[in-house]
Amino acid sequence: MKLKNSLLLLLVTAFVISCAKTDETKTIRLGHGLDVSHSVHKAMVKMGEDLAQLSDGKLKLEIYPSQQLGTERQCLELLQIGSLDMTKVSVGVLENFAPKMKVLGLPFLFRDRAHSFAVLDGPIGQQLLNEGEQYWLKGLGYYDAGSRSFYTKDKPVTTPEDLTGQKIRVMESVTAMDMVSGLGGSPTPISWGELYTALQQGVVDGAENNPPSFYLSRHYEVAKYYTLDEHTVLPDVLLAGTYLWDKLTPQEQGWLKQAVETSVVYQRKLWLEAENEALKAVQEAGVKIIRPDKTLFSEKIKNSFDKYKEDKEFYQLIQKIQATN
């Protein structure tokens, strides 16, 4: 009888401890629009593993990929009202919520990848991450999304003039629309999830994105020309809602920051590998890779920054970025 009572007591104690541990665990829900094979998703998985280890199981990351919880814009709106904890969005979408972020979407702003990292990982990048807090969005870090280039269905693009009359899908981004217009194309905002069908049906003639996105979306099955003009270096931004951030203790915020920083380094390494693999794969699938004279494109819209001169603060931001070594 005593043995039975002892076993019962052990079982009850184990159950109570288990429940207490569950109650102590905070689950952070992260939604994003990319495929599970994307470097960003893989970096988020690592972030979740690191977060669990750093917090000794007190913080748990639940990831919902592939637009399960909505488009990038919808995920941002969910963050703002506290219905979602974290998300990843392109700067092109974020500029609609944190206006100064649009500076990163300006064409031919960065000299190369090293220049973009120097800006993003420095004081200017941090200043821009802080910009979202007044809109209930806490910027945590930048993932590499490479350079964006044009891909088209029927007509190859070797010069800006080849874009004339072509309907080019863009994000809901004023800077992206201005850039395509400036190069002679017709910008057409369409959600990422609808783009494959839009290309198939001729709703648009082409789009613009980085190599891994072009490959993983299978858009290369429809668009057989890829022009590496690399007009914008548009990073992805990892964000938390201020609703979540303000509920975390300083220690928990530190764990999350540390897990994010590690995931950023990991993702950038994966990105370079994915970029090379994507270009090789689309070529093998019959896509013609075009390497145009980029100066033809940059010269066509070289005066696009001039319209910001009236906004002295914003124009100074452009100048600071250009001066960064």
Side-chain angles (χ1 to χ4, degrees):
M1 190 69 178
K2 284 184 178 179
L3 180 61
K4 191 180 285 186
N5 286 340
S6 297
L7 285 171
L8 183 62
L9 182 61
L10 282 170
L11 287 169
V12 170
T13 304
F15 178 74
V16 169
I17 290 171
S18 173
C19 287
K21 189 172 180 63
T22 303
D23 290 340
E24 287 173 8
T25 301
K26 289 182 181 177
T27 299
I28 297 173
R29 294 155 303 134
L30 190 163
H32 69 88
L34 297 171
D35 185 87
V36 294
S37 58
H38 198 285
S39 63
V40 163
H41 180 81
K42 291 176 181 177
M44 288 172 175
V45 171
K46 177 171 174 52
M47 178 170 62
E49 292 168 352
D50 289 345
L51 188 59
Q53 188 174 13
L54 287 165
S55 68
D56 193 25
K58 292 183 177 67
L59 293 180
K60 176 187 175 186
L61 190 66
E62 276 186 3
I63 307 171
Y64 299 86
S66 305
Q67 291 193 0
Q68 288 180 39
L69 302 182
T71 64
E72 290 197 338
R73 186 183 185 92
Q74 288 166 340
C75 283
L76 281 173
E77 290 168 349
L78 290 173
L79 249 65
Q80 289 181 312
I81 62 174
S83 295
L84 181 64
D85 300 316
M86 291 181 67
T87 192
K88 183 287 312 173
V89 299
S90 170
V91 159
V93 176
L94 186 57
E95 73 178 44
N96 296 295
F97 293 76
K100 282 183 184 170
M101 276 284 183
K102 72 182 179 184
V103 72
L104 298 177
L106 295 176
F108 302 104
L109 176 69
F110 297 112
R111 295 185 294 275
D112 50 33
R113 180 179 259 114
H115 179 214
S116 71
F117 287 163
V119 172
L120 298 176
D121 297 340
I124 294 174
Q126 187 57 54
Q127 174 192 337
L128 290 170
L129 287 178
N130 295 341
E131 171 78 7
E133 289 191 38
Q134 60 184 306
Y135 308 103
W136 306 285
L137 301 169
K138 172 71 178 177
L140 297 174
Y142 298 96
Y143 285 143
D144 190 3
S147 302
R148 297 175 75 94
S149 295
F150 292 109
Y151 51 91
T152 48
K153 186 178 173 182
D154 301 314
K155 180 182 175 184
V157 174
T158 55
T159 68
E161 286 66 36
D162 293 326
L163 286 165
T164 303
Q166 295 227 51
K167 298 188 293 293
I168 303 296
R169 178 268 174 182
V170 292
M171 295 176 288
E172 291 184 48
S173 158
V174 173
T175 50
M177 287 189 272
D178 286 348
M179 181 266 299
V180 171
S181 294
L183 290 171
S186 300
T188 309
I190 292 175
S191 80
W192 180 246
E194 296 172 2
L195 180 52
Y196 187 101
T197 305
L199 283 164
Q200 244 183 350
Q201 296 177 348
V203 176
V204 290
D205 303 302
E208 48 89 49
N209 218 316
N210 53 60
S213 294
F214 177 47
Y215 172 56
L216 293 172
S217 62
R218 306 186 77 86
H219 292 168
Y220 66 88
E221 294 175 346
V222 188
K224 291 298 183 181
Y225 300 101
Y226 194 25
T227 303
L228 299 181
D229 67 305
E230 299 181 324
H231 45 259
T232 48
V233 179
L234 206 62
D236 282 335
V237 186
L238 191 63
L239 301 124
T242 54
Y243 279 91
L244 166 76
W245 189 254
D246 294 342
K247 286 178 185 175
L248 297 178
T249 66
Q251 186 180 40
E252 289 168 340
Q253 291 174 353
W255 289 331
L256 183 54
K257 278 184 179 178
Q258 193 174 337
V260 167
E261 286 169 9
T262 305
S263 80
V264 165
V265 174
Y266 182 62
Q267 188 271 339
R268 289 178 181 179
K269 175 179 174 291
L270 290 180
W271 179 267
L272 282 176
E273 296 169 2
E275 207 168 63
N276 293 329
E277 288 168 9
L279 286 172
K280 183 181 176 184
V282 298
Q283 274 186 292
E284 289 174 353
V287 171
K288 182 178 180 183
I289 304 291
I290 300 162
R291 300 180 188 274
D293 180 353
K294 295 178 192 176
T295 58
L296 295 176
F297 293 81
S298 59
E299 284 293 311
K300 177 95 174 175
I301 48 176
K302 66 180 179 180
N303 298 323
S304 60
F305 295 171
D306 291 348
K307 69 177 184 178
Y308 298 109
K309 283 183 176 177
E310 291 181 11
D311 185 340
K312 290 184 179 178
E313 188 180 355
F314 191 80
Y315 194 68
Q316 283 176 353
L317 185 58
I318 294 172
Q319 292 176 310
K320 283 180 184 177
I321 289 172
Q322 290 176 322
T324 300
N325 294 318

